[in-house]
Amino acid sequence: MYTANWSVIPQNLPLFLEGVRLTLTISALSLVLSLPIGIFAGLCRVSRNRVIAFLSACYVEFFRGVPLLVLLIWIFFVLGRFLRLGSYWSAIVGLAIFSGAFVAEVVRAGIQAVPKGQMEAARASGMTYIQAMKLVILPQAIRKVLPPLASQFIILIKDSSLVSVISVVDLTLIGKNLVATTFRSLEVWSFIALLYFVMTFGLSKIIALLERKFRAEWQ
Amino acid sequence: MNDVMVSIRNVSKRFGALEVLKDVSLDIPRSQVFAFIGPSGAGKSTLVRTINALEGIQAGEIFVDGISVADPKTDINALRANIGFVAQSFNLYPHLRVLDNVTLAPLHVKKVSKAEAEEKGTTILASLGLADKVSAFPAQLSGGQQQRVAIARALAMEPKLMLFDEPTSALDPELIKEVLDAIRGLAETGITMVVVTHEMNFAREICDRIVFMANAQILETASPGEFFSAPKTERARDFLGKILNR
Ligand SMILES: Nc1ncnc2c1ncn2[C@@H]1O[C@H](COP(=O)(O)OP(=O)(O)OP(=O)(O)O)[C@@H](O)[C@H]1O
Ligand SMILES: [Mg+2]
């Protein structure tokens, strides 16, 4: 029978914390990269130019349809080799492109949730479409999409555990390696699950706080 | 200089199969205040919105201060910068404070300096009785205050023409007067204005001409005195009968 020995956790605490740091860094970098991708694709999606809107729809539908695991492997072995990205940046680019498709949908919904009169008022004052988007529509859309974007970040933290398959060192890979040397799979994986939970739950609490602050201001 | 501010010539407009403007022509002289009145669905909103190209037209021509609105070569943003537009639903920018609402277009369209835009914005807001609201958010204001901010926002561009589409229709009765007073004050400055309204007393008191529309056409253009005492068309008599005996 298996007897748990939890001493493996405190003994390797610095390693776990390093894993948390790596996972948060990878998720944050992917998110930061997926925001411009997603905002751009979301803007294209609402464009009056049908070709642009169609291309953006293709991007969104394609990456929503491909499993992240397959995408990461493909990027690592094909695009990553070709562009000499290495596993770390292949992982971040893969996550960013994947997450960008979700961000695009969120941004599109956010833009469409801004009342029509806003664009009209801005254009009537002489602003160009781009100025109106930048100064009037997007600032409102972004506030509206803050909650779904926050959940996207939480999803990214969880999805980022897949990067270990292309041998990027994150919390999950650190766990795997630790189990390989200590054979303490129950203790290690339980603790890692807990760490993921703390990250995502903590984040959602912080976000809820930020959101409340925003809302108090102008709603 | 031309003494006609807006010239609408044989304008037709359709929404799909629905004809909303049928061969409409109208000249609005500089410094005059025109009221567009008529039953719901007549095409009043559509007509004012064609003046600043918020709605396109299928036939005819519109000139604002001599510049063709529908000509693809016209810089429509430059033209709109000279035309203030105030809609029924205010459409203030909810993420910006009142003063920032007012200075946004001057800063980004006219590229005036921040100091100048803010000074001018503050002055205009004060003249509309909103001096203490400059740093409020729109959601913190009453409907009447919001609509006055919308007027201030339009005035901050120093327009030569103001268009109002039912500026008081979304307001509670007790708030209508403050907005009408603001518009009345503007009329005295000599700016050219077009006001779509259901406020007959207001139209009678401050407008130079009444334009009566029904069924996608202008049926009558007359001075308020003539129009309200002796409307020429049966349709206008009928409309006035209904609206005044409510
Ligand atoms: N975007 C649109 N698409 C299709 N039909 C429209 C659109 N806008 C207006 N219409 C139709 O055009 C006609 C004229 O509308 P318009 O809004 O100009 O009337 P109005 O005189 O301003 O009426 P109201 O007093 O109710 O505001 C109406 O039949 C209306 O249903
Ligand atoms: Mg109307």
Side-chain angles (χ1 to χ4, degrees), chain A residues 118 120 123 126 131 135 140, chain B residues 49 77 80 92 94-95 108:
Chain A
Q118 293 289 307
E120 189 173 288
R123 292 307 305 274
Q131 282 178 320
L135 300 167
Q140 296 180 55
Chain B
R49 292 160 56 85
N77 296 319
R80 283 173 175 161
L92 294 182
H95 60 300
H108 295 275

Side-chain angles (χ1 to χ4, degrees), chain B residues 194-214:
Chain B
V194 177
V195 188
V196 178
T197 185
H198 289 295
E199 298 293 326
M200 293 304 141
N201 288 329
F202 168 79
R204 192 198 320 252
E205 284 163 36
I206 75 147
C207 294
D208 297 298
R209 305 289 284 176
I210 304 292
V211 175
F212 176 73
M213 291 187 74

Side-chain angles (χ1 to χ4, degrees), chain B residues 36-47:
Chain B
F36 287 7
I37 69 174
S40 180
K44 308 177 297 292
S45 298
T46 307
L47 186 58

Side-chain angles (χ1 to χ4, degrees), chain A residues 58-71:
Chain A
C58 289
Y59 160 70
V60 169
E61 292 307 331
F62 183 77
F63 287 103
R64 287 207 306 190
V66 175
L68 178 58
L69 188 60
V70 175
L71 180 70

Side-chain angles (χ1 to χ4, degrees), chain A residues 32 115 213:
Chain A
V32 166
K213 214 173 129 184

Side-chain angles (χ1 to χ4, degrees), chain A residues 13 16-17 19-20 157 171 188-201:
Chain A
L13 201 58
F16 285 112
L17 291 182
V20 167
I157 289 179
L171 183 58
V188 169
W189 288 118
S190 303
F191 189 57
I192 285 188
L194 180 72
L195 286 176
Y196 273 108
F197 173 76
V198 168
M199 281 191 272
T200 53
F201 187 72

